Amino acid sequence: AQSVSQHNHHVILSEAASLELGCNYSYGGTVNLFWYVQYPGQHLQLLLKYFSGDPLVKGIKGFEAEFIKSKFSFNLRKPSVQWSDTAEYFCAVNAHSSASKIIFGSGTRLSIRP
Amino acid sequence: EPEVTQTPSHQVTQMGQEVILRCVPISNHLYFYWYRQILGQKVEFLVSFYNNEISEKSEIFDDQFSVERPDGSNFTLKIRSTKLEDSAMYFCASRPRSGTSYNEQFFGPGTRLTVL
């Protein structure tokens, strides 16, 4: 069965610290990978996506993620976080080149200390 | 930039009542989806819809749920007899048939459903 694992439930960092949020997926085929962010009280926003090509993907607000196929991973990184990055982050996957459902991870709550 | 819109933003209802959540997908999109997020939990897939029929549904999407595209613009989710556990944020999403965003689903802002 398809699944997404986010190992960090809650991450607390100080401003300017570097961030890496882990994401591993289980799926027996070619996938699309996504990171979504949900700011407090707001809806889902797409941070970045990987469909094919360069495994290092750059998104909005200085975020990037690297797809490592051999590890079934798609970790999210940011070199220097800001207080405004406080939010819930969801890794997600669906089957490539199809209209299939998106499977979301359980989310990582990121709290940034000012 | 075109967006998926949803109404209402917040719906409060009594247990056992019917509710209809409305979505207006992006105009040239052909695949439509409903997801839900119970407070504090992850986003879960409910149903996908293409060519005026359900293409996939989850085990959550039981006989109490139905979807409809009543006209060329709206996509609705109906819950016939709401239960307390239906309280959640419901997200609509749509996806184009082709183009550079072919693999991407665009999410609406959500409707928060509260069942009392």
Side-chain angles (χ1 to χ4, degrees):
Chain A
Q2 303 160 9
S3 66
V4 178
S5 297
Q6 291 182 244
H7 310 296
N8 310 106
H9 180 65
H10 188 191
V11 172
I12 303 172
L13 295 173
S14 298
E15 276 196 310
S18 65
L19 169 72
E20 181 159 3
L21 301 182
C23 172
N24 288 92
Y25 68 92
S26 172
Y27 184 78
T30 307
V31 296
N32 303 314
L33 294 155
F34 309 88
W35 275 98
Y36 288 89
V37 61
Q38 190 175 33
Y39 297 102
Q42 297 190 28
H43 64 98
L44 292 166
Q45 296 179 39
L46 182 67
L47 265 183
L48 47 78
K49 60 195 177 190
Y50 172 81
F51 295 157
S52 64
D54 188 345
L56 184 61
V57 179
K58 294 193 184 301
I60 61 171
K61 302 177 191 263
F63 287 91
E64 65 177 33
E66 185 175 11
F67 171 48
I68 303 180
K69 189 175 181 180
S70 60
K71 295 184 178 180
F72 297 90
S73 70
F74 190 57
N75 292 354
L76 181 71
R77 299 194 291 249
K78 185 171 184 178
S80 177
V81 294
Q82 301 170 309
W83 179 80
S84 58
D85 293 324
T86 295
E88 188 97 19
Y89 292 81
F90 294 94
C91 182
V93 64
N94 77 342
H96 189 66
S97 297
S98 82
S100 69
K101 63 188 180 229
I102 291 178
I103 305 294
F104 286 84
S106 55
T108 297
R109 184 155 64 99
L110 177 64
S111 299
I112 306 298
R113 292 190 292 248
Chain B
E1 188 169 331
E3 294 181 333
V4 176
T5 59
Q6 291 185 243
T7 55
S9 57
H10 191 188
Q11 174 89 47
V12 180
T13 189
Q14 295 291 325
M15 189 169 58
Q17 295 297 303
E18 174 183 288
V19 294
I20 297 176
L21 309 183
R22 291 183 167 78
C23 168
V24 179
I26 295 172
S27 64
N28 63 342
H29 288 191
L30 297 178
Y31 298 89
F32 312 111
Y33 307 83
W34 283 101
Y35 294 82
R36 79 171 186 190
Q37 183 183 29
I38 294 171
L39 188 63
Q41 298 186 23
K42 65 179 178 180
V43 179
E44 302 172 290
F45 168 77
L46 290 178
V47 66
S48 58
F49 191 85
Y50 170 70
N51 201 25
N52 284 319
E53 60 183 27
I54 291 173
S55 34
E56 187 178 3
K57 60 183 181 179
S58 72
E59 62 274 11
I60 302 168
F61 194 88
D62 61 22
D63 292 343
Q64 293 299 313
F65 291 88
S66 63
V67 289
E68 193 177 32
R69 188 155 163 81
D71 52 41
S73 60
N74 289 285
F75 179 51
T76 62
L77 174 69
K78 182 193 290 186
I79 309 175
R80 289 189 184 83
S81 179
T82 51
K83 303 188 281 283
L84 293 176
E85 54 264 38
D86 293 327
S87 293
M89 181 73 89
Y90 288 81
F91 293 104
C92 173
S94 69
R95 179 194 135 126
R97 185 179 180 183
S98 61
T100 55
S101 297
Y102 170 65
N103 283 307
E104 184 177 344
Q105 294 178 24
F106 294 78
F107 283 81
T111 292
R112 179 166 296 285
L113 176 66
T114 302
V115 182
L116 302 176

